[in-house]
């Protein structure tokens, strides 16, 4: 069955190089966080006995609902690494290890990723790019430390006003590689970012819940293929369900999109769970009299349509939250609370309602 929801919101794109605006549009601070890592319970066998003991988890990640077996990892900070997704930046590195991923629209009708590292780390992650207003909404909700190359001064001021810790290219923790052209060649290690954050005394606390993870009754509606249209006629992403791996694989321009590690080995970008939030789109402007260019942004405080895809099925309903620090609440058509299944997570903050599945 094919579902297509008509566009309710027109997105106006303003290039990052446009002249500074004289008005200021401000949306409530929003937060989106994620973490994904699948860990099986460890087993130990006594040398004096044939009995096998299963080690229980110490808790479950608030980013993706998955079990965590090390308390030190469960309680530590989330790193939000901004990742380039333009053609010269592909394939990206480190995103296959991230506990969760978020995707937002930026200028030039393209998207960027936010790789969320909670109990996992990548020694090679990139290409790292600059900060946008929508990132601040995610960081606030997760009490996260942001990692990006830099930002326009007026956006940096927004981060300072929210007391959001940041690691940037100017902190000499990142480096450029020769194999990529500017500005798509900045890389780093989350281990180095964590050491820097510790040295600077940045808060080191675990994330609060931002999605209602729990048991997920299998919906009857199939969704073997999911198509998200970020900008109609220009940017379309397809997620195809692989029955063998039980994961959705990302396809763009008729081919699957890949990641690559530092040694040149790679694979397909995939996820166990896709969460799509239809968020209000707007154009963020620098304050009057302040230099800078306007950029697309989304606001995920309020309410709207939502979709959850997993195991080749789809749940469709609505989301709601009253402020940026509250978790998303999901409701079915009868108004009953709904949940998200634990798993490797990909959250799309879609600036419209152009979602198709079959």
């Amino acid at each position: 069955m094919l579902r297509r929801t008509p566009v309710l919101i027109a997105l106006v794109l303003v290039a990052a190089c446009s002249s500074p605006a004289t008005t200021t549009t401000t949306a409530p601070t929003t937060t989106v966080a994620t973490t994904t890592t699948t860990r099986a319970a460890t087993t130990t066998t006594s040398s004096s006995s044939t009995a096998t003991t299963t080690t229980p988890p110490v808790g479950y990640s608030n980013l993706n609902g998955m079990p965590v077996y090390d308390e030190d990892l469960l309680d530590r900070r989330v790193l939000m690494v901004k990742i380039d997704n333009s053609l010269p930046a592909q394939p990206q590195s480190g995103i296959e290890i991230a506990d969760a991923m978020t995707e937002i629209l930026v200028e030039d009708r393209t998207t960027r990723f936010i790789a969320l590292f909670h109990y996992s780390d990548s020694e090679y992650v990139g290409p790292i790019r600059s900060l946008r207003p929508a990132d601040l909404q995610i960081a606030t909700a997760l009490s996260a430390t942001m990692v990006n190359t830099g930002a326009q001064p007026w956006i940096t001021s927004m981060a300072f006003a929210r007391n959001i810790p940041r690691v940037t290219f100017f902190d000499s923790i990142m480096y450029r590689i020769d194999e990529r052209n500017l500005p798509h060649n900045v890389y780093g290690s989350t281990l180095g970012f964590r050491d820097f954050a510790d040295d600077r005394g940045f808060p080191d606390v675990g994330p609060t819940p931002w999605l209602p993870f729990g048991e997920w009754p299998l919906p009857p509606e199939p969704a073997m293929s999911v198509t998200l249209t970020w900008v109609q006629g220009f940017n379309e992403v397809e997620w195809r369900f692989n029955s063998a791996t039980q994961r959705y694989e990302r396809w763009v321009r008729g081919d699957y999109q890949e990641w690559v590690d530092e040694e040149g080995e790679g694979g397909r970008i995939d996820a166990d769970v896709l969460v799509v939030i239809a968020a209000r789109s707007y154009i963020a402007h620098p304050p009057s009299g302040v230099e800078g260019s306007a950029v697309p942004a989304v606001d995920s405080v309020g309410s709207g349509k939502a979709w959850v895809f997993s195991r080749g099925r789809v749940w469709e309903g609505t989301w709601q939250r009253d402020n940026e620090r509250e978790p998303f609440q999901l409701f079915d058509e009868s108004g009953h609370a709904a949940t998200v299944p634990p798993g490797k997570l990909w959250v799309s903050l879609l600036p419209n309602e152009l979602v198709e599945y079959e």
Side-chain angles (χ1 to χ4, degrees):
M1 176 180 179
L2 180 65
R3 291 276 185 91
R4 185 177 186 93
T5 309
V7 181
L8 297 181
I9 305 170
L11 176 65
V12 180
L13 294 181
V14 180
C17 60
S18 63
S19 59
T22 58
T23 60
T24 304
T25 303
T26 305
T29 313
T30 308
T31 316
V32 180
T34 10
T35 309
T36 311
T37 302
T38 303
R39 303 190 182 194
T42 57
T43 58
T44 56
T45 303
S46 171
S47 58
S48 59
S49 172
T50 58
T52 299
T53 302
T54 300
T55 302
V58 296
Y60 297 84
S61 172
N62 284 333
L63 286 182
N64 59 15
M66 295 298 291
V68 180
Y69 296 89
D70 186 332
E71 190 169 357
D72 290 339
L73 301 182
L74 184 68
D75 297 332
R76 69 176 180 172
R77 70 173 61 86
V78 171
L79 293 177
M80 283 179 48
V81 186
K82 191 66 175 289
I83 303 293
D84 197 346
N85 188 38
S86 60
L87 278 173
Q90 300 175 12
Q92 297 92 339
S93 302
I95 63 175
E96 76 283 4
I97 299 174
D99 299 324
M101 297 290 297
T102 301
E103 187 168 6
I104 62 172
L105 187 70
V106 292
E107 307 80 41
D108 301 322
R109 299 175 291 210
T110 63
T111 64
R112 286 186 185 173
F113 302 156
I114 300 172
L116 295 158
F117 295 89
H118 176 206
Y119 56 90
S120 297
D121 283 299
S122 174
E123 295 186 354
Y124 186 70
V125 59
I128 302 171
R129 288 301 298 271
S130 57
L131 175 67
R132 292 294 182 273
D135 307 339
L136 305 175
Q137 301 175 330
I138 299 171
T140 301
L142 295 173
S143 300
T145 293
M146 295 194 302
V147 180
N148 46 74
T149 54
Q152 295 186 64
W154 67 276
I155 302 178
T156 299
S157 296
M158 294 171 65
F160 280 127
R162 289 162 173 78
N163 296 316
I164 298 174
R166 294 179 59 219
V167 182
T168 73
F169 183 78
F170 304 100
D171 296 314
S172 302
I173 301 299
M174 305 174 197
Y175 56 89
R176 297 190 185 275
I177 63 172
D178 295 333
E179 294 81 3
R180 297 278 179 94
N181 295 325
L182 288 170
H184 318 286
N185 62 351
V186 178
Y187 287 73
S189 164
T190 62
L191 299 174
F193 301 149
R194 292 190 188 279
D195 288 342
F196 179 85
D198 289 339
D199 291 343
R200 290 295 179 94
F202 292 167
D204 191 13
V205 296
T208 55
W210 68 294
L211 285 168
F213 295 107
E215 293 295 328
W216 198 63
L218 197 65
E221 193 82 47
M224 302 299 289
S225 175
V226 181
T227 300
L228 306 181
T229 301
W230 289 89
V231 179
Q232 194 165 25
F234 294 96
N235 189 338
E236 188 174 274
V237 174
E238 183 182 5
W239 293 89
R240 299 182 186 177
F241 186 68
N242 185 324
S243 299
T245 64
Q246 291 291 295
R247 286 183 169 178
Y248 285 94
E249 297 175 342
R250 182 182 175 95
W251 288 67
V252 180
R253 295 176 297 275
D255 201 359
Y256 53 81
Q257 190 171 347
E258 295 183 295
W259 55 266
V260 65
D261 63 19
E262 191 171 11
E263 287 71 40
E265 300 294 327
R268 300 183 181 186
I269 295 176
D270 61 10
D272 296 321
V273 182
L274 308 176
V275 174
V276 182
I277 300 292
R280 182 182 69 86
S281 65
Y282 69 101
I283 299 300
H285 296 271
S288 179
V290 176
E291 291 188 3
S293 57
V295 292
V298 291
D299 176 18
S300 60
V301 171
S303 60
K305 296 204 66 174
W307 297 260
V308 178
F309 300 92
S310 185
R311 289 178 277 174
R313 302 294 179 92
V314 58
W315 172 92
E316 184 174 345
T318 60
W319 65 269
Q320 177 181 325
R321 66 173 180 162
D322 296 330
N323 64 68
E324 64 187 14
R325 294 190 180 277
E326 287 189 359
F328 286 95
Q329 298 180 73
L330 300 181
F331 300 97
D332 63 20
E333 59 184 6
S334 300
H336 299 133
T339 57
V340 174
K344 185 177 181 181
L345 179 66
W346 193 289
V347 177
S348 299
L349 294 181
L350 200 67
N352 53 55
E353 295 182 358
L354 280 177
V355 178
E356 297 177 350
Y357 57 84
E358 61 181 351

